[in-house]
Amino acid sequence: MKKLIVPVVTPFREDETVDYAELKRIVRGLFDEGADGIFAGGSSAECFLLTDEERKKVLEATVEAADGGFVIAHVGAVGVRRTEEFARHAKRVGADAVASVPPFYFGFRYENIRAYYWALADAAELPTMIYYFPANTGASFDADQMAEILLGRENIRAVKFTDSDYYVMQRIKALTGREIISGKDECFLSALAAGADGAIGTTFNFMLGHYKKILALTEEGKWEEALEIQAQINDVIAAMKGADIFHATKYLMERRGYHTGIARRPFLPLTEEQKRRLSEACERNHI
């Protein structure tokens, strides 16, 4: 069964403090909408703008609100020691799996990154996911390198593939048999056609129903109808271009009754014109 896992945002008050009560309400609401799981503390949560204590408390609040629902904890950091600490904390508080972007900024060689993931898997003692996002991290691997990392530890079970090179994605799956979870919302249907086992996407926070429709239609073999829904999603994503994505996401979640507040600086608030474009796109596409 293919999975739709929501990378939940972090709601902030006007003073940029985390609203943990609202976070719990959002998590419960997403499960009620039919999410198969929650990805906690990832990019959509503005993870690298949170303190270590906030990252831990966000995960704890998410696991509590999930109440037995599936939770993946993003534990990525530049240094192995911090990542191991986050991973052990994730296991201790009841997360079901961990994930991490590659270590970034210092231009680490492939061998460094391979050692990072193997250390993470050993420390976590949980199913572990590679969060592959070359556009943001600067770390790109070929299929053979990814296969070596995946097969180096039995509990490295999946890849969050936030890229659109579906030849590489398909080769990773063929070489390893591991789960591939797509991370490019605008290419969701393409990823399914290339063999993805599900997806994790920022816009699931406010368009989960549309992605569920695509899954249902593809399971019935109705690919042309599924493409129409993908086109609606992409029209909204196009309206998000030019705005800071987390402000745009939170604005559209506010329209659904959540109090997500602002994104942390240096992200910039939306202009009135950006809000108008987003609202019109949602109305046009029944979101």
Side-chain angles (χ1 to χ4, degrees):
M1 179 180 176
K2 298 188 187 298
K3 305 176 182 68
L4 294 176
I5 298 169
V6 184
V8 67
V9 303
T10 302
F12 294 118
R13 303 181 184 90
E14 286 302 313
D15 62 358
E16 296 191 18
T17 57
V18 179
D19 188 339
Y20 295 102
E22 186 64 9
L23 173 61
K24 292 178 183 178
R25 190 170 81 92
I26 294 168
V27 169
R28 288 192 292 267
L30 290 169
F31 275 116
D32 288 344
E33 284 187 56
D36 296 305
I38 297 293
F39 190 84
S43 304
S44 303
E46 302 169 57
C47 59
F48 298 119
L49 299 177
L50 301 175
T51 67
D52 287 5
E53 180 184 5
E54 286 171 333
R55 288 180 68 173
K56 291 177 180 178
K57 289 179 69 176
V58 160
L59 177 60
E60 290 164 13
T62 300
V63 170
E64 180 182 339
D67 193 24
F70 185 71
V71 175
I72 302 172
H74 177 253
V75 298
V78 177
V80 169
R81 290 184 64 181
R82 282 181 69 213
T83 299
E84 289 175 332
E85 178 186 345
F86 286 137
R88 293 185 182 111
H89 171 261
K91 183 179 182 184
R92 189 163 62 250
V93 302
D96 298 285
V98 296
S100 177
V101 293
F104 49 90
Y105 181 76
F106 290 105
F108 293 107
R109 293 178 295 112
Y110 163 72
E111 291 79 7
N112 304 125
I113 295 171
R114 180 185 62 194
Y116 171 93
Y117 278 114
W118 288 352
L120 166 58
D122 291 342
E125 299 179 332
L126 287 171
T128 299
M129 173 184 284
I130 297 171
Y131 185 170
Y132 183 63
F133 197 173
N136 276 32
T137 65
S140 61
F141 319 133
D142 61 33
D144 290 327
Q145 289 172 325
M146 186 71 83
E148 184 179 24
I149 297 173
L150 285 163
L151 298 175
R153 293 292 186 274
E154 196 280 331
N155 63 317
I156 304 181
R157 302 302 306 166
V159 179
K160 181 179 187 283
F161 192 84
T162 307
D163 195 25
S164 55
D165 189 336
Y166 293 119
Y167 166 73
V168 170
M169 190 195 85
Q170 190 277 328
R171 289 303 301 151
I172 293 167
K173 191 171 181 66
L175 290 168
T176 68
R178 301 298 207 234
E179 278 197 330
I180 307 291
I181 307 298
S182 173
K184 296 279 281 186
D185 298 15
E186 64 272 30
C187 301
F188 176 58
L189 185 61
S190 300
L192 291 178
D197 299 290
I200 298 171
T202 299
T203 61
F204 293 12
N205 279 282
F206 60 89
M207 286 196 286
L208 183 60
H210 275 49
Y211 291 95
K212 288 175 67 67
K213 286 178 185 176
I214 288 177
L215 269 188
L217 288 166
T218 56
E219 287 169 0
E220 296 172 12
K222 299 177 179 178
W223 289 85
E224 289 187 8
E225 292 179 39
L227 182 58
E228 293 175 7
I229 305 298
Q230 183 71 65
Q232 292 176 359
I233 289 169
N234 288 359
D235 188 41
V236 175
I237 291 173
M240 298 173 77
K241 302 294 185 183
D244 283 336
I245 185 171
F246 303 125
H247 270 298
T249 298
K250 288 181 171 183
Y251 174 72
L252 296 178
M253 291 182 74
E254 292 271 353
R255 294 178 81 252
R256 296 175 60 82
Y258 292 118
H259 305 300
T260 50
I262 60 172
R264 271 191 176 164
R265 294 170 294 172
F267 289 117
L268 296 173
L270 299 176
T271 65
E272 291 304 313
E273 172 61 19
Q274 288 168 337
K275 291 177 183 178
R276 182 190 64 78
R277 267 203 327 268
L278 289 166
S279 295
E280 288 179 354
C282 284
E283 289 165 8
R284 203 163 49 238
N285 296 290
H286 312 293
I287 291 165

